[in-house]
Amino acid sequence: MTQTSTGDAERTIGLDLGDKWSEYVALDADGRRVGVGRVRSTAEGFAQLSAQHAGAFVVMETGTHSPWAARQFEEAGHPVVVANSSELALVTSSVRKSDRRDAEILARLGRADVELLHPVAQRQPETQQLLSKLRLRRALVRSRAALINSVRGTAKSLGTRTAPCSADSFHVKALAGASPELRDVAKHVMPAIEELTKRIRLAESELEAAAASMPAVAAMRQVPGVGLLIALTFALTIEDPARFARRRDAAAYFGLAPGRRQSGERDPKMGITKRGNAEARSLLVQGAHYILGAHGP
């Protein structure tokens, strides 16, 4: 887990992570700049920065590279805080925004009060790997859906329709009784849809195997309308239930709690914040629709 204190570090590094290069600003105990520059966003680049500022307190924002970058700095002996980028209006809404300025703001906020960064806990590598598998499975499903919709749209443009069937059986049943014209234009797409379906099933079998060792997932799947994907995504996103003092805190974590904009005597009712993991929130809402709908228990 990411630490939330500077420890005994005398230096603070603000690190603005980029895809190829990362900008950094290092401050001493009095807030003076003692290092400014950029490094490659690679393990080697961050190792060089670590060696130059051994034991420094490192502050970075959430992003694609933050999970592995935070782990690398922690393993090298740095206290690390990963700031919640969605809560840092000082960075995201600045009219003088630049990577180097963002890095310096992160460093100065870290020196002032870590809580201003709204630090987030980094997931364990095993959890991150399973979440990545879920994410890539969704990418496969979306790719298949796009191809299926293309075939169906093409059929309509030719004055016909594909046979009614599920996405899993589309490559087998969709062109049953189809015209030669439709078969001809779809001949290169249908094998791709078939291959995607095979890959989706393989991905789901791997996720099923991983879920077999997770009691929390098995417990959630006892609820009608909560299947493998909802239960596994929820469990992995939460990861450590002890982080939440109340059940309602978990709802807020998924953006399913109402926002608030209280000022003076005004305290208007707001819609849900929609913060947090959008895919997990979408799956939870789908499960709720089933449970509360006509087909629910």
Side-chain angles (χ1 to χ4, degrees):
M1 290 295 179
T2 298
Q3 300 177 36
T4 56
S5 68
T6 62
D8 298 324
E10 295 183 356
R11 292 188 177 185
T12 302
I13 298 174
L15 184 64
D16 187 81
L17 296 170
D19 193 46
K20 294 183 178 179
W21 292 92
S22 295
E23 296 280 347
Y24 72 89
V25 173
L27 307 175
D28 66 12
D30 296 319
R32 294 188 295 261
R33 295 182 186 177
V34 291
V36 176
R38 67 175 186 165
V39 295
R40 287 278 186 185
S41 299
T42 61
E44 293 77 13
F46 293 151
Q48 292 175 7
L49 180 61
S50 176
Q52 292 170 10
H53 302 278
F57 173 45
V58 178
V59 182
M60 63 185 72
E61 285 184 278
T62 51
T64 303
H65 296 285
S66 62
W68 69 267
R71 282 195 295 271
Q72 178 173 335
F73 279 106
E74 286 178 337
E75 290 167 0
H78 296 267
V80 179
V81 160
V82 180
N84 188 340
S85 57
S86 65
E87 297 285 353
L88 294 181
L90 185 61
V91 173
T92 58
S93 302
S94 175
V95 295
R96 298 175 54 206
K97 184 170 172 40
S98 71
D99 292 342
R100 186 159 297 178
R101 179 174 170 79
D102 291 351
E104 182 162 356
I105 290 173
L106 288 171
R108 296 196 180 280
L109 286 174
R111 287 186 70 255
D113 186 349
V114 169
E115 292 304 315
L116 294 174
L117 297 165
H118 301 274
V120 300
Q122 293 297 290
R123 296 187 177 92
Q124 296 297 323
E126 299 80 9
T127 303
Q128 189 69 37
Q129 184 174 2
L130 278 176
L131 282 171
S132 296
K133 287 186 176 181
L134 279 166
R135 191 176 301 114
L136 291 174
R137 176 210 163 268
R138 286 195 295 270
L140 289 171
V141 171
R142 287 170 179 163
S143 297
R144 183 179 66 177
L147 290 176
I148 288 174
N149 289 336
S150 294
V151 174
R152 285 174 172 161
T154 299
K156 291 178 183 179
S157 71
L158 295 174
T160 184
R161 291 181 182 273
T162 56
C165 58
S166 67
D168 283 346
S169 61
F170 190 86
H171 64 282
V172 177
K173 300 179 180 179
L175 298 186
S179 64
E181 292 82 5
L182 178 58
R183 288 182 176 276
D184 180 61
V185 298
K187 63 185 178 184
H188 298 303
V189 177
M190 298 305 285
I193 294 174
E194 180 180 6
E195 182 61 26
L196 284 170
T197 297
K198 291 179 182 177
R199 295 299 171 183
I200 291 167
R201 289 172 179 168
L202 286 172
E204 289 174 349
S205 66
E206 285 189 16
L207 294 171
E208 192 74 63
S213 62
M214 301 174 67
V217 173
M220 283 185 280
R221 293 179 72 177
Q222 296 178 41
V223 179
V226 178
L228 170 67
L229 298 179
I230 295 177
L232 188 57
T233 301
F234 183 84
L236 292 173
T237 305
I238 291 288
E239 189 175 31
D240 180 15
R243 293 192 292 137
F244 302 94
R246 303 173 304 168
R247 285 175 292 179
R248 289 189 176 187
D249 293 339
Y253 181 72
F254 286 101
L256 293 169
R260 193 175 187 189
R261 197 178 292 274
Q262 186 271 333
S263 178
E265 299 299 319
R266 296 186 68 257
D267 194 1
K269 292 183 178 180
M270 308 287 290
I272 61 172
T273 63
K274 295 186 179 180
R275 292 293 182 91
N277 190 307
E279 293 289 350
R281 183 171 58 255
S282 174
L283 286 171
L284 290 171
V285 170
Q286 288 177 35
H289 281 167
Y290 176 84
I291 293 168
L292 298 174
H295 301 291

